[in-house]
């Protein structure tokens, strides 16, 4: 089936590995191959940290789907199919968590694109047992192995990277799980965006919150705002919650697939939007963010976003708001601003 990703296609060539197994799928999976696997396995469950993928799979009764930063459900799984994630630390995190849960004797299949660094599974898995490459095709590799050592217990708290961010006279603590944007550093684009923001009021949405840096700074500088923070990644959601707690800030943190779970009455939408999906460059989330922003805002709602200077967002913002202004720019970043006008909002 050509609508499968290349890693799924290489796994599909090796269906015999999955026959009769209780399979747990995890990692950077993004297609419906787990649904096909339900015809070959005794059971298939999917653990995903990606809310959009969770929503896509929810309606398929052949499989069970779990969304979160940690797999805590009761399970019969005796095999993991790991789609290699683009961040190596995220692969380490998933292995440590899933093997601690499933235990010794668990079989594992790992699939992924060669350019994603999948080869490092050999060294990474050594602490658990042996894993070996059995197939390669379409610039992807297929590994099979088994956990022969008792895995150590897993505590999510051990996986947060904690660092400090100085902004103006404030020193803030950021807590970030593997695979989360700004893992361990303060992004320059976010700094430029914060430098450009006016005094905020009302309800403010930090869209694509990552580790929660933007929202934390905005709430610190504007203590009267009602801050909401959303992301498509469960790892980002957990990171943001931990960052807010570390700075004594209360906010509403939730998973959302663009606007799937957001409110419609934001005074400000502020974002350093993502333009990667896995290893690929992807603008679809940002395009949806911009096109539909006005319908999630109050009558005079405002949008502030930072983008890499090579991204052409002006026409999209103009189409949504009727105008777009550039408030700030460096050779690397641009800050765009738009405000709902009465004429536009009445159209």
């Amino acid at each position: 089936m050509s609508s499968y990703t290349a890693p799924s296609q290489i796994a599909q060539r090796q269906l015999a590995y999955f026959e009769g197994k209780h399979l747990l799928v995890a990692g950077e999976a993004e297609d419906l191959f787990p649904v096909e696997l339900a015809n070959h396995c005794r059971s298939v469950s999917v653990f995903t940290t990606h809310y959009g993928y969770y929503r896509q799979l929810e309606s398929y009764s052949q499989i069970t789907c779990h969304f979160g930063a940690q797999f805590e459900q009761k399970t019969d799984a005796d095999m993991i199919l790991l789609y290699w994630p683009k961040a190596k630390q995220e692969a380490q995190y998933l292995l440590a968590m899933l093997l601690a849960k499933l235990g010794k004797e668990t079989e594992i299949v790992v699939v992924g694109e060669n350019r994603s660094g999948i080869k490092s599974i050999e060294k990474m898995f050594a602490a658990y047992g042996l894993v070996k490459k059995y197939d390669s095709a379409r610039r992807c590799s297929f590994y099979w192995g088994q956990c022969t050592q008792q895995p150590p217990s897993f505590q999510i708290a051990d996986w947060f990277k904690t660092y400090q961010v100085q902004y103006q006279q404030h020193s803030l603590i950021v807590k970030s799980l593997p695979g989360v944007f700004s893992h361990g550093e303060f992004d320059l684009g976010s700094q430029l965006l914060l430098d450009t923001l006016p005094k905020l009021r009302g309800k403010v949405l930090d869209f694509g919150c990552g580790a929660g840096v933007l929202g934390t700074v905005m709430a610190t500088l504007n203590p009267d705002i009602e801050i909401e923070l959303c992301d498509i990644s469960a790892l980002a959601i957990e990171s943001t919650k931990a960052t807010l707690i570390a700075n004594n800030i209360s906010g509403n943190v939730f998973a959302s697939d663009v606007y799937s779970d957001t409110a419609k009455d934001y005074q400000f939408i502020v974002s350093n939007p993502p333009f990667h999906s896995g290893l690929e460059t992807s603008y679809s989330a940002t395009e949806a963010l911009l096109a539909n922003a006005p319908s999630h805002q109050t009558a005079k709602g405002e949008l502030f976003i930072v983008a890499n200077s090579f991204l052409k967002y002006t026409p999209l913002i103009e189409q949504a708001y009727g105008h777009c202004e550039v408030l700030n720019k460096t050779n690397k970043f641009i800050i765009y601003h738009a405000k709902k006008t009465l004429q536009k909002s009445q159209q």
Side-chain angles (χ1 to χ4, degrees):
M1 187 170 165
S2 57
S3 59
Y4 289 160
T5 60
S8 288
Q9 287 176 40
I10 195 175
Q12 193 184 30
R13 289 165 38 133
Q14 301 292 345
L15 288 171
Y17 280 88
F18 303 105
E19 293 292 343
K21 295 287 173 194
H22 289 291
L23 183 67
L24 177 63
V25 180
E28 202 92 34
E30 46 191 356
D31 58 23
L32 294 177
F33 183 55
V35 180
E36 181 187 333
L37 281 170
N39 300 324
H40 303 272
C41 301
R42 284 172 70 188
S43 70
V44 175
S45 43
V46 177
F47 167 73
T48 179
T49 61
H50 190 284
Y51 190 56
Y53 188 52
Y54 170 74
R55 291 177 77 230
Q56 188 188 342
L57 292 185
E58 244 184 329
S59 58
Y60 291 90
S61 57
Q62 307 95 306
I63 57 177
T64 31
C65 196
H66 308 284
F67 166 76
Q70 202 173 341
F71 181 65
E72 297 178 285
Q73 288 75 12
K74 197 170 176 302
T75 181
D76 295 323
D78 52 17
M79 179 184 246
I80 296 167
L81 167 56
L82 178 68
Y83 284 78
W84 191 255
K86 68 171 186 203
K88 190 172 163 184
Q89 287 169 311
E90 193 178 335
Q92 287 170 324
Y93 171 88
L94 289 170
L95 279 178
M97 180 200 20
L98 296 174
L99 289 170
K101 176 84 177 159
L102 272 53
K104 207 170 153 182
E105 310 307 328
T106 303
E107 290 181 61
I108 188 164
V109 167
V110 186
V111 291
E113 294 185 39
N114 297 333
R115 66 184 175 135
S116 69
I118 186 174
K119 193 175 185 310
S120 46
I121 185 61
E122 294 173 24
K123 204 185 245 175
M124 198 183 287
F125 198 73
Y128 305 105
L130 276 179
V131 70
K132 200 174 148 204
K133 181 152 67 167
Y134 285 90
D135 194 8
S136 53
R138 307 190 61 97
R139 301 198 184 94
C140 290
S141 297
F142 176 102
Y143 287 83
W144 177 88
Q146 189 160 23
C147 176
T148 53
Q149 306 296 316
Q150 186 57 46
S153 67
F154 177 85
Q155 301 295 331
I156 195 168
D158 300 340
W159 290 82
F160 282 100
K161 188 168 186 174
T162 304
Y163 61 102
Q164 281 200 313
V165 160
Q166 293 294 132
Y167 187 75
Q168 292 178 6
Q169 70 278 29
H170 302 281
S171 179
L172 303 165
I173 297 161
V174 180
K175 296 187 84 82
S176 166
L177 286 169
V180 175
F181 178 70
S182 82
H183 189 52
E185 57 187 341
F186 193 10
D187 172 69
L188 290 171
S190 294
Q191 284 191 52
L192 187 69
L193 178 55
L194 290 166
D195 291 345
T196 313
L197 288 177
K199 183 97 183 111
L200 303 175
R201 65 195 177 280
K203 198 167 182 177
V204 179
L205 178 66
D206 175 0
F207 178 93
C209 56
V213 179
L214 275 180
T216 300
V217 173
M218 290 189 292
T220 302
L221 299 178
N222 308 274
D224 297 334
I225 62 172
E226 188 185 336
I227 187 82
E228 296 208 340
L229 308 96
C230 71
D231 204 286
I232 203 156
S233 158
L235 299 172
I237 297 303
E238 286 308 306
S239 300
T240 291
K241 284 178 177 172
T243 297
L244 291 185
I245 289 167
N247 295 286
N248 294 320
I249 285 168
S250 59
N252 180 20
V253 189
F254 57 95
S256 192
D257 182 0
V258 192
Y259 292 112
S260 69
D261 290 58
T262 64
K264 288 189 175 292
D265 59 345
Y266 297 107
Q267 181 68 45
F268 293 91
I269 294 176
V270 180
S271 183
N272 182 347
F275 58 93
H276 287 102
S277 172
L279 292 166
E280 307 306 324
T281 302
S282 168
Y283 307 109
S284 57
T286 304
E287 286 168 6
L289 160 74
L290 301 177
N292 301 313
S295 61
H296 290 82
Q297 292 185 311
T298 54
K300 291 183 177 172
E302 296 182 57
L303 172 81
F304 288 87
I305 73 161
V306 58
N308 286 55
S309 42
F310 62 83
L311 300 172
K312 303 288 178 263
Y313 287 153
T314 306
L316 292 169
I317 298 170
E318 281 177 348
Q319 198 173 351
Y321 285 89
H323 71 104
C324 171
E325 54 180 330
V326 171
L327 294 185
N328 211 338
K329 65 196 287 191
T330 63
N331 54 6
K332 201 170 173 201
F333 298 105
I334 297 183
I335 308 298
Y336 295 106
H337 171 241
K339 189 170 184 174
K340 257 171 94 165
T341 57
L342 283 171
Q343 306 89 302
K344 190 73 185 171
S345 55
Q346 281 166 358
Q347 280 178 9

